[in-house]
């Protein structure tokens, strides 16, 4: 087997279970346990699903259902106790620590509920953060970062510090940071959790646009209104995937109704 | 943006912690540099003072066998000379490479004379040279002129000599011009007189029993001068007065060792301060470090970032410590050094060592926090994920 996308052949998946287009994300029997052997907590239990390129999926469920754990596993941040995560055919936990870091850098983008912008860097520098470890001309880094800021509509605030802009603008800058390396998968944890409705909708529209452009977007949310922007909703309960729902209606149309998978 | 900019911005945001870390190392480097510079200055002054303690090279006639001679005095009576010293050979001292380091030359002719029915040792010396070679002499009366003698403390008591007394020596009448206060040395036993007159009295014209040499030893190797004199004066036995030289060196080396030891100790304590502070800083910034890892920084990038921070801080501490150390030494100098003997000079080796010590301590203290940061589980560190 030849290498795919620069990653070793042994980390590639075994292939598609059917004849459909290869999935962008494939969770195979994912389980995650925490704690000491005598007091194990099973956060995820044998979760399987596939997401196609350009799909926008929301993960929903009550607190403690395993949403954040699942996002962490999909983000190559925390190894599963059992199962595999294939992203664009690459078994991310078959990669070594450095290669997995390189994979996150080049292929994944993260948006966090708390934004996690460095308070001592202005918005432009925050967006340039993922480029700090890339070999690239500083002019190009700057141009890319400005482009990402423009894409989310806050390029005019490039020289402001995070505490000099609103929460919505911080969230947009955090999205620009996630986009600056042009990832194929965007993972967002409660991206509207700290935003008012107007700013929340702007962010959700942006995520939907990105998905429409071909990026696979996975979002954890408690908000049903935010989830309606996604084309698919994965419902978790007690660590299990209990429903996989495809939404047929775009949120702008507000016609209600969902189609089960 | 690169990692250096991240480091500088991060440090500028956490000024109080950065200053605390810098001060921790600065104290050590300042102690190191200050004590070292002070010890160099004191060494210079001690050398200058010790040079006042008289002769440190002794030239005696070469002997075939063992001789029991202490500072030129025959103790057992079985020292025999095979190659006498002559006054005319004194010129050879001017031919040695380090002749410029010779401060004074004191030729001496020793013999015994009969005074008041008692045998007494008589030393013919050049009193101008003795003024330099025996700076500790305290003379009651004055140094003798021709036709006069100076009596050692014990010689004066045994021979019952007082100032102004006259005595008959080998047909000449000499007056006691001065009496030495006790010195605790063989000088107490001797009568001293002008050397040309003693040559006549002892009937040994142009001969010498020994020559004392005072070498200015700051920056000159006494042992090398000994070798040079031996080569220039083949009939002579030349030795460094080891007790003075070694004692001097030992005292200085103890002080230097104390200075370095104290400096290193304080710097190590400073390093521990850096370690603890950086560890706390890493814990405080666990989310930030988790973010770095999440967006694709390798463990090695995280290690590099933390070590780069400690490098910047320790470099600043090194430079600041060097300045403070020199300033402190300059302030302390008048308290530790008398008169105008001391002046500060910065040895480039000391400056480099102090800076290197600061950098090494900073890096050593940064390793543990850096590895702890790199080991953080990004999902744990971020929590929200």
């Amino acid at each position: 087997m030849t290498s795919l996308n620069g990653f070793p052949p042994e980390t590639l998946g075994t292939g598609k279970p059917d004849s459909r287009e290869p999935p962008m994300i494939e969770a195979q029997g994912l389980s995650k346990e925490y704690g000491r052997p005598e007091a194990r907590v099973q956060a995820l239990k044998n979760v399987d699903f596939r997401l196609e390129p350009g799909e926008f999926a929301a993960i929903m469920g009550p607190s403690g259902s395993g949403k954040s754990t699942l996002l962490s596993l999909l983000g190559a941040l925390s190894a599963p106790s059992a199962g595999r995560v294939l992203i664009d055919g690459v078994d991310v936990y078959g990669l070594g620590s450095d290669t997995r870091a390189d994979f996150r850098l080049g292929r994944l983008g993260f948006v966090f509920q708390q934004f996690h912008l460095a308070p001592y860097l202005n918005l432009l520098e925050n967006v340039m953060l993922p480029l700090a470890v890339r070999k690239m001309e500083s002019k190009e880094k700057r141009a890319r970062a400005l482009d990402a800021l423009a894409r989310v509509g806050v390029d005019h605030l490039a020289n402001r510090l995070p505490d000099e802009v609103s929460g919505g603008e911080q969230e947009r800058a955090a999205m620009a940071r996630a986009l600056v390396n042009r990832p194929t998968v965007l993972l967002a944890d409660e991206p509207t959790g700290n935003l008012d409705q107007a700013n929340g909708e702007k962010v959700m529209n942006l995520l939907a646009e990105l998905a429409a452009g071909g990026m696979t977007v996975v979002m954890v949310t408690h908000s049903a209104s935010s989830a309606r922007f996604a084309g698919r909703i994965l419902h978790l309960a007690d660590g299990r995937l209990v429903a996989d729902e495809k939404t047929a209606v775009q949120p702008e149309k507000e016609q209600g109704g969902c189609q089960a998978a | 943006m690169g990692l250096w900019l991240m480091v500088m911005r991060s440090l500028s945001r956490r000024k109080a912690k950065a200053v605390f870390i810098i001060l921790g190392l600065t104290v050590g480097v300042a102690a190191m540099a200050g004590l070292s510079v002070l010890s160099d200055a004191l060494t210079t002054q001690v050398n200058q003072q010790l040079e006042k303690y008289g002769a440190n090279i002794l030239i005696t006639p070469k002997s075939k066998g063992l001789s029991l001679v202490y500072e030129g005095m025959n103790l057992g009576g079985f020292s025999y000379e095979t190659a006498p010293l002559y006054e005319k050979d004194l010129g050879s001292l001017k031919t040695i490479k380090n002749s410029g380091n010779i401060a004074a030359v004191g030729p001496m002719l020793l013999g015994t004379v009969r005074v008041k029915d008692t045998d007494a040792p008589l030393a013919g010396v050049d009193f101008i040279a003795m003024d330099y070679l025996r700076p500790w002499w305290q003379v009651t009366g004055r140094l003798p002129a021709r036709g006069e003698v100076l009596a050692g403390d014990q010689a004066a008591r045994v021979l019952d000599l007082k100032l102004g007394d006259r005595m008959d020596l080998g047909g000449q009448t000499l007056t006691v011009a001065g009496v030495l206060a006790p010195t605790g040395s063989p000088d107490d036993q001797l009568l001293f007189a002008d050397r040309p007159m003693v040559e006549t009295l002892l009937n040994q014209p142009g001969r010498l029993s020994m020559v004392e040499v005072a070498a200015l030893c700051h920056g000159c190797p006494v042992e090398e001068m000994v070798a040079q004199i031996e080569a220039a004066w083949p009939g002579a036995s030349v030795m460094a007065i080891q007790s003075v030289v070694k004692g001097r060196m030992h005292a200085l080396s103890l002080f230097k060792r104390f200075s370095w030891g104290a400096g290193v100790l304080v710097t190590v304590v400073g390093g521990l301060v850096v370690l603890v502070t950086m560890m706390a800083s890493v814990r405080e910034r666990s989310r930030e470090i988790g973010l770095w890892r999440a967006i694709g920084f390798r463990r090695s990038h995280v290690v590099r970032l933390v070590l780069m921070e400690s490098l910047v801080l320790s470099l600043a501490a090194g430079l600041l410590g060097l300045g403070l150390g020199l300033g402190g030494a300059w302030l302390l100098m008048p308290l530790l050094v008398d008169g105008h003997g001391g002046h500060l000079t910065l040895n480039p080796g000391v400056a480099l060592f102090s800076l290197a010590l600061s950098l090494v301590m900073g890096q050593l203290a940064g390793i543990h926090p850096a590895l702890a940061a790199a080991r953080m589980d990004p999902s744990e560190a971020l929590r929200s994920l």
Side-chain angles (χ1 to χ4, degrees), chain B residues 325-359:
Chain B
L326 285 177
W330 183 74
L331 288 173
L332 284 173
M333 198 65 142
L335 302 175
L336 298 175
V337 178
D338 296 330
H340 307 288
H343 49 260
L344 291 177
T345 47
L346 177 60
N347 180 345
V350 170
L352 280 176
F353 182 82
S354 303
L355 275 179
L357 184 71
S358 178
L359 293 178

Side-chain angles (χ1 to χ4, degrees), chain B residues 5 12 48 50 68-69 146 180 183 187 194 199 201 216 235 265 271-272 280-281 328 338 359:
Chain B
L5 182 65
S12 68
Q48 287 168 354
L50 284 172
L68 290 177
V69 176
R146 194 168 177 87
L180 279 178
T183 62
D187 292 352
D194 184 53
E199 284 178 9
L201 281 174
L216 294 168
L265 187 69
L272 289 176
S281 167
D338 296 330
L359 293 178

